[in-house]
Amino acid sequence: MVVHYVPAHRVVALLESLTGTAPSVGFVHGMLTRTAGLLTETHARIRSLITLAYAVCCDETPLRVGAKAPAVGKKKAEGYLLVAATELYAHYLLGDRSLATFKAFVVAELSRSVIVHDRYQNYDSTQLGTLVHQLCTAHLLRDLDDAAQVYPDKVWPVQIADALRGLIGQANLAREQGLPAIPGDVRDALLRRLRNGMLVGLSDTTSHGNRPGERKARLLLEVLRDRPADVLRFAHDLQVPATSNQAERDLRPSKIQQKISGRLTSIKRTEDRYTILGYVSTAAKHGLDKITVLRDALTGQPWMPALPA
């Protein structure tokens, strides 16, 4: 149900075809609660280990969960699933995109980490404390592609995008070669190209404009101008990923689940699902088999990620 998103009724049919005995749907669905209850300590350990990571990728996505009728004051009947992820850990929280959810999430405890994110406004809230940011360059590049369509005759959107892709490529190459940093002459040339393109773009877009896409392009240029450290931190520190792709990969199962199983009716059971998914995903990142660690959990010996030395 958690790893392959098979609905409970189909799990019953599958078990009956394999064993000749059909457990009740209630029993099968109840395994979510039983398993999540056995993972309380592991869930807390994963959260703690994420707060100790040097860089953490964060993302959020809408999730159809709970009653079909929207709550009072809401336009849609959906929640939001948040994830904080590294190459070794994944931690989920079900809530919404409100500041209250973000304050309850692990983000508020990441003051010693670099947070890689998609520029959603809540990450910049002072109520979360003083955070160090890396703005996801994949999102920046998408916005630059949109700007190139709004201004097809201008060079600056392509110039900025090429310089940014060049910096990402050089950072990856330096890591592969075991270098401590991007060679200074290469990096500085790309930074100049990016900055020059940004200055030209600002002079071409002196206001937010009236055409569709003009305001978005102007806001993007203002981010490049006003937050250069948060845009380019990855180019100066190879321990910082340039994108939040790790978090997006860890959110992808929720999209697949919705396509296969549709709306999840119980909020509490959905929370159990993502407690379990955080456990098996973290175990898989450590090279362990998902079915094996689930069996270990159900026999009272859940796998526990080691504390750092």
Side-chain angles (χ1 to χ4, degrees), residues 17-305:
S17 69
L18 290 172
T19 68
T21 301
S24 70
V25 174
F27 173 84
V28 170
H29 196 255
M31 290 298 293
L32 293 170
T33 301
R34 291 177 59 186
T35 307
L38 294 166
L39 297 176
T40 301
E41 293 184 9
T42 308
H43 182 69
R45 172 72 63 86
I46 292 171
R47 179 188 176 105
S48 297
L49 289 170
I50 285 177
T51 67
L52 300 176
Y54 186 82
V56 180
C57 297
C58 296
D59 201 5
E60 66 287 330
T61 190
L63 189 69
R64 294 195 299 274
V65 60
K68 292 183 178 181
V72 177
K74 300 289 185 179
K75 295 182 179 179
K76 296 181 179 180
E78 63 184 19
Y80 268 83
L81 183 67
L82 283 69
V83 66
T86 70
E87 292 182 349
L88 289 176
Y89 310 107
H91 175 74
Y92 297 91
L93 178 71
L94 181 65
D96 54 31
R97 296 187 81 180
S98 69
L99 189 55
T101 292
F102 276 70
K103 289 168 69 176
F105 194 39
V106 70
V107 172
E109 300 172 34
L110 295 178
S111 59
R112 294 177 294 177
S113 306
V114 178
I115 302 181
V116 190
H117 61 83
D118 58 5
R119 309 202 314 272
Y120 181 58
Q121 61 185 6
N122 281 1
Y123 293 108
D124 294 320
S125 171
T126 57
Q127 295 188 42
L128 297 179
T130 303
L131 303 177
V132 180
H133 306 268
Q134 167 62 59
L135 305 183
C136 176
T137 56
H139 287 80
L140 294 171
L141 288 169
R142 292 171 202 163
D143 290 346
L144 285 165
D145 289 342
D146 291 341
Q149 296 182 35
V150 177
Y151 300 99
D153 299 327
K154 301 295 184 180
V155 174
W156 58 264
V158 177
Q159 178 174 324
I160 297 172
D162 286 347
L164 193 54
R165 289 191 179 96
L167 287 166
I168 296 168
Q170 289 297 323
N172 292 335
L173 183 62
R175 274 191 288 268
E176 291 171 3
Q177 296 177 346
L179 299 177
I182 300 173
D185 55 340
V186 176
R187 181 191 61 208
D188 293 345
L190 289 167
L191 290 174
R192 281 194 302 271
R193 183 170 174 79
L194 189 152
R195 177 172 172 77
N196 290 340
M198 178 263 293
L199 292 173
V200 171
L202 288 169
S203 66
D204 280 349
T205 59
T206 54
S207 69
H208 287 175
N210 298 313
R211 291 188 301 146
E214 285 185 331
R215 182 175 184 275
K216 184 177 180 181
R218 176 68 189 188
L219 291 174
L220 170 64
L221 290 164
E222 291 173 357
V223 166
L224 297 175
R225 179 194 65 195
D226 299 337
R227 304 182 65 175
D230 295 343
V231 171
L232 299 166
R233 198 174 304 279
F234 77 93
H236 302 279
D237 185 348
L238 296 184
Q239 295 184 77
V240 178
T243 72
S244 60
N245 288 352
Q246 180 66 63
E248 291 194 0
R249 285 194 292 271
D250 283 306
L251 279 182
R252 195 165 297 137
S254 67
K255 297 296 187 183
I256 298 173
Q257 177 273 317
Q258 286 199 147
K259 290 182 179 179
I260 294 175
S261 300
R263 176 177 293 275
L264 297 168
T265 56
S266 170
I267 293 176
K268 185 63 179 70
R269 295 296 77 75
T270 302
E271 292 173 342
D272 293 337
R273 283 175 178 268
Y274 285 100
T275 295
I276 299 167
L277 184 61
Y279 168 68
V280 297
S281 296
T282 298
K285 290 179 179 183
H286 284 76
L288 302 175
D289 177 69
K290 294 180 179 179
I291 293 296
T292 299
V293 295
L294 276 174
R295 184 185 298 116
D296 291 342
L298 290 168
T299 55
Q301 297 178 315
W303 170 76
M304 183 75 73

